[in-house]
Amino acid sequence: MKLVEIVRGLETSNTVIEQLKVLTLSFGKIPVICRSTPGFIVNRVARPFYAETMRALEEQIASPATLDSAIRDAGGFAMGPLQLTDLIGHDVNYAVTESVFQAFGYDPRFQTSLMQLELVQAGHLGRKSKQGFYHYDDNKPQPLPSIAEKIYLEQPQNIKAHGNWQIFPEFAQLLTENGISLEGLTQHSDQSPTLIVNDVIIMLTNGELTSSHAQTQKQAVVHFDLSVNYLTATTITLSCALQNNAQQNQQAIAFFQSLGKHVIVLPDYPALLTMRTVAMLCNEALDIVNKGIATALDTDNAMCFGVNYPKGPLAWGRQLGWQRVLSVLENLTQFYGDSRYRPNPLLRQLAAGYQSLTFKELP
């Protein structure tokens, strides 16, 4: 791991901090500075990465292999959360979550998973016990994700693009390479990136149910999930409105397959998986900055070089737009009716344009 977190106590002098930074750099490591806080930067900000996928598993949204693929192969993270906790060990991962949960006065943001607790109590600790979310038997292959079967349809004759595709330049490139024009769009529009394929609206999830959008639009709607790079991702995750008919869903699936993507179709799940995870990571990272625990740059560096995230949560939030991140969390709060997804005050200020973050672009 390239990262070293240098934790400042109440009486730590600036001289000591500077000496530790020089020492860390001499080892070829990347130092970040933070005030003492439960979990420091990495173990605090990373809690939602595990928690959101475990929640989806508890809610029977999909199998472990499918959920991991949605985060890894579609979202762009190096490993799926369930795969990673099996590697870390559930006894270790659960203990960290529980300690942060207790230290923050049992704040729902850090709620532990009963499913993971059951694994720990049963001794199913992951790879080291040969059983966790997956079974590790040398003679048996790991389960595969549920991928939509190839659908053979004629190429859609009527494809239109709307909204702000500037936030996803790789996706825009993928579309233009496949003959879909993005000319004439208002690139700074607040509207979510949207495609209309024949009579089906395909749009980036914003935390609402797909079926709610379909009811509002009076039209077939399919949501797609967030990815760090739609051009290189092998997979894309979709959810289809319950009002859609089978042919409309097939049109959306076949469209993404024609772009060379495997397709995961999840039930109608608000914010799908990568979007809700990134929104929560961003929210927690903003809390770090808002309380002066670390700078925005150090927070993003900690997550990129400490746990190998493909993009810093704050850089990702800035790319998406703070208002979009805020909308996702507000919609999740309304859907679940609890405070787990409550937006950080700094996020509200950023979304309103009252504040700005200062940090260099990550390499």
Side-chain angles (χ1 to χ4, degrees):
M1 184 172 72
K2 294 182 178 180
L3 181 76
V4 174
E5 291 185 77
I6 300 173
V7 182
R8 180 193 293 273
L10 290 176
E11 298 185 7
T12 307
S13 69
N14 290 335
T15 301
V16 170
I17 293 295
E18 290 304 315
Q19 289 173 340
L20 288 172
K21 285 176 66 176
V22 171
L23 180 63
T24 300
L25 290 168
S26 73
F27 294 151
K29 302 292 186 178
I30 296 174
V32 296
I33 313 301
C34 71
R35 284 200 296 108
S36 183
T37 185
F40 308 136
I41 301 174
V42 171
N43 274 325
R44 176 175 166 183
V45 175
R47 296 346 292 165
F49 180 72
Y50 313 110
E52 291 310 309
T53 300
M54 289 186 195
R55 181 169 209 167
L57 187 62
E58 290 172 344
E59 295 178 358
Q60 303 181 74
I61 297 303
S63 68
T66 301
L67 294 173
D68 273 346
S69 180
I71 290 284
R72 181 188 62 239
D73 305 321
F77 286 86
M79 296 181 72
L82 307 179
Q83 175 189 19
L84 181 55
T85 50
D86 267 8
L87 178 63
I88 294 169
H90 291 287
D91 50 343
V92 174
N93 187 264
Y94 182 86
V96 172
T97 302
E98 186 177 38
S99 69
V100 174
F101 187 37
Q102 290 176 352
F104 280 93
Y106 301 98
D107 190 313
R109 285 156 44 215
F110 306 108
Q111 175 71 53
T112 53
S113 165
L114 290 176
M115 180 176 287
Q116 190 178 35
L117 175 60
E118 186 178 23
L119 289 176
V120 173
Q121 291 175 337
H124 297 173
L125 306 181
R127 284 184 174 271
K128 59 187 174 185
S129 68
K130 295 191 178 297
Q131 189 170 354
F133 287 119
Y134 299 92
H135 293 270
Y136 298 93
D137 187 328
D138 293 338
N139 298 320
K140 293 182 180 179
Q142 289 297 323
L144 298 175
S146 178
I147 301 295
E149 293 184 5
K150 179 68 176 176
I151 296 173
Y152 296 93
L153 294 177
E154 291 184 7
Q155 191 72 15
Q157 298 300 311
N158 186 16
I159 301 176
K160 297 179 181 178
H162 300 280
N164 182 8
W165 286 95
Q166 193 173 42
I167 62 173
F168 297 137
E170 298 89 358
F171 204 158
Q173 180 182 342
L174 180 65
L175 294 175
T176 54
E177 287 178 354
N178 283 271
I180 300 169
S181 175
L182 298 179
E183 293 182 4
L185 296 182
T186 305
Q187 294 296 340
H188 296 287
S189 168
D190 290 334
Q191 182 186 2
S192 289
T194 302
L195 295 167
I196 301 178
V197 178
N198 292 338
D199 63 340
V200 181
I201 298 174
I202 302 174
M203 61 188 301
L204 177 68
T205 178
N206 72 341
E208 290 186 71
L209 288 170
T210 316
S211 301
S212 296
H213 268 161
Q215 184 174 1
T216 302
Q217 298 291 332
K218 308 298 183 186
Q219 197 169 341
V221 175
V222 172
H223 283 176
F224 64 88
D225 202 359
L226 181 63
S227 175
V228 71
N229 188 326
Y230 290 97
L231 187 63
T232 58
T234 61
T235 306
I236 194 157
T237 305
L238 307 178
S239 67
C240 304
L242 295 176
Q243 298 95 321
N244 299 0
N245 60 43
Q247 184 178 8
Q248 290 166 333
N249 293 341
Q250 288 174 354
Q251 284 180 4
I253 294 168
F255 170 73
F256 283 104
Q257 289 175 339
S258 73
L259 300 180
K261 305 300 180 185
H262 298 299
V263 177
I264 292 173
V265 181
L266 296 182
D268 192 359
Y269 195 53
L272 289 166
L273 205 56
T274 304
M275 178 62 91
R276 66 162 54 198
T277 299
V278 168
M280 287 291 280
L281 292 171
C282 183
N283 202 45
E284 200 55 46
L286 285 172
D287 195 57
I288 292 279
V289 175
N290 193 40
K291 293 177 178 173
I293 292 164
T295 65
L297 179 60
D298 275 357
T299 301
D300 266 6
N301 275 338
M303 304 315 293
C304 289
F305 298 110
V307 279
N308 200 28
Y309 283 5
K311 188 186 289 285
L314 298 175
W316 217 333
R318 187 173 63 174
Q319 176 189 351
L320 286 169
W322 303 116
Q323 182 58 55
R324 182 170 285 106
V325 177
L326 176 62
S327 295
V328 168
L329 294 175
E330 287 181 331
N331 287 329
L332 287 170
T333 299
Q334 182 178 6
F335 179 80
Y336 284 103
D338 64 34
S339 60
R340 172 176 174 145
Y341 299 100
R342 68 186 186 277
N344 185 270
L346 180 55
L347 175 58
R348 293 190 181 279
Q349 292 178 308
L350 290 167
Y354 300 147
Q355 291 279 2
S356 61
L357 285 185
T358 302
F359 61 104
K360 297 177 183 178
E361 195 69 50
L362 291 175

